[in-house]
Amino acid sequence: MKKAVVLLSGGMDSATALAIARQSGFACYALSIDYGQRHVAELAAAARIGQSLQVSDHQFLKLDLAVLASSALTDLSATVPLHGTSTGIPVTYVPARNTIMLSLALAWAEVLGSHDIFIGVTAVDYSGYPDCRRDYIDAFEEMANLATKAGREGMTLTVHAPLIDLPKREIIQCGMELGIDYGLTVSCYQAGEAGYACGQCDACHIRRAGFKAANIPDPTRYRNKQIS
């Protein structure tokens, strides 16, 4: 089987990307990054998803981006917005996060002899991050093939972003068809250690709206049981 490195955060999008890679016939090698995020419960979710979808290997790397990057996701003194999605790049943007993670995935892919990386970014129903867009993914792929021994020797690497043009509704429908248990995933920016979601942050608003649009019961565990 061909090998693919899959960036697995523990959220619903990365879980769906993993399921798609698996469905496409790849032996999947999951990579999860502890970058100092306040919603560390997503890493436990990533472990559950990796086990559920039977990855060939799952590596967890610790890389404290709080030292370098100021973000509401890494600075516990900052406030996570609770007003829903808005225009512009939000304070939850972590500078260069996807570039750093894709670079780590690229390094592991070259070691594994893999020519494929999967990432669950989406540019439709999302928070407005600049590193979740098609032009960025295309540019990284081009750079990767210039920067690696494998690329220079003609073994072209492909960065797959299978969700990038899909609204959250279609992502959820796709994942359900592939048998994903979205109850295993954590999307909330300020989920507690047990994984219960706040129901108020951007990620919770987008996730809940997606399940509603898909007409599928939301399996998210909320701290406030009145949220549905």
Side-chain angles (χ1 to χ4, degrees):
M1 296 176 69
K2 294 186 299 181
K3 299 176 182 178
V5 175
V6 183
L7 285 169
L8 184 62
S9 70
M12 61 189 306
D13 294 338
S14 66
T16 309
L18 171 58
I20 290 172
R22 188 169 176 264
Q23 174 73 12
S24 300
F26 287 97
C28 296
Y29 291 72
L31 179 61
S32 301
I33 312 296
D34 178 354
Y35 60 88
Q37 62 269 52
R38 66 168 70 211
H39 51 310
V40 70
E42 71 171 6
L43 294 172
R48 294 193 297 268
I49 296 160
Q51 185 175 28
S52 174
L53 295 180
Q54 300 177 324
V55 296
S56 297
D57 191 10
H58 196 166
Q59 293 293 327
F60 291 81
L61 297 183
K62 187 172 181 59
L63 181 67
D64 191 358
L65 294 185
V67 177
L68 304 175
S70 177
S71 166
L73 295 190
T74 57
D75 183 355
L76 296 181
S77 67
T79 301
V80 172
L82 301 179
H83 49 69
T85 56
S86 58
T87 58
I89 297 173
V91 296
T92 51
Y93 163 65
V94 181
R97 179 178 59 180
N98 282 350
T99 302
I100 293 167
M101 291 183 176
L102 279 169
S103 296
L104 294 170
L106 173 62
W108 196 22
E110 193 164 21
V111 169
L112 291 170
S114 167
H115 306 144
D116 299 272
I117 294 172
F118 281 76
I119 183 171
V121 294
T122 174
V124 181
D125 294 332
Y126 77 127
S127 295
Y129 301 132
D131 53 2
C132 289
R133 301 172 184 174
R134 173 68 66 184
D135 56 356
Y136 165 74
I137 296 297
D138 291 344
F140 187 93
E141 180 179 281
E142 181 179 3
M143 180 280 298
N145 283 297
L146 292 173
T148 57
K149 177 177 182 290
R152 288 294 189 176
E153 292 178 349
M155 292 173 282
T156 304
L157 178 124
T158 301
V159 179
H160 302 264
L163 313 181
I164 201 160
D165 297 319
L166 299 181
K168 197 67 69 179
R169 169 181 57 81
E170 292 185 22
I171 292 171
I172 292 169
Q173 290 170 336
C174 173
M176 294 295 289
E177 291 174 1
L178 294 174
I180 296 176
D181 177 2
Y182 282 121
L184 299 176
T185 67
V186 172
S187 301
C188 178
Y189 288 151
Q190 49 186 3
E193 288 186 10
Y196 285 88
C198 72
Q200 296 177 297
C201 67
D202 283 6
C204 283
H205 281 288
I206 293 170
R207 178 180 172 116
R208 190 162 63 253
F211 279 105
K212 184 177 180 180
N215 196 28
I216 292 172
D218 183 358
T220 307
R221 298 179 300 155
Y222 292 104
R223 290 199 290 269
N224 183 348
K225 293 183 179 180
Q226 294 179 340
I227 297 174
S228 60

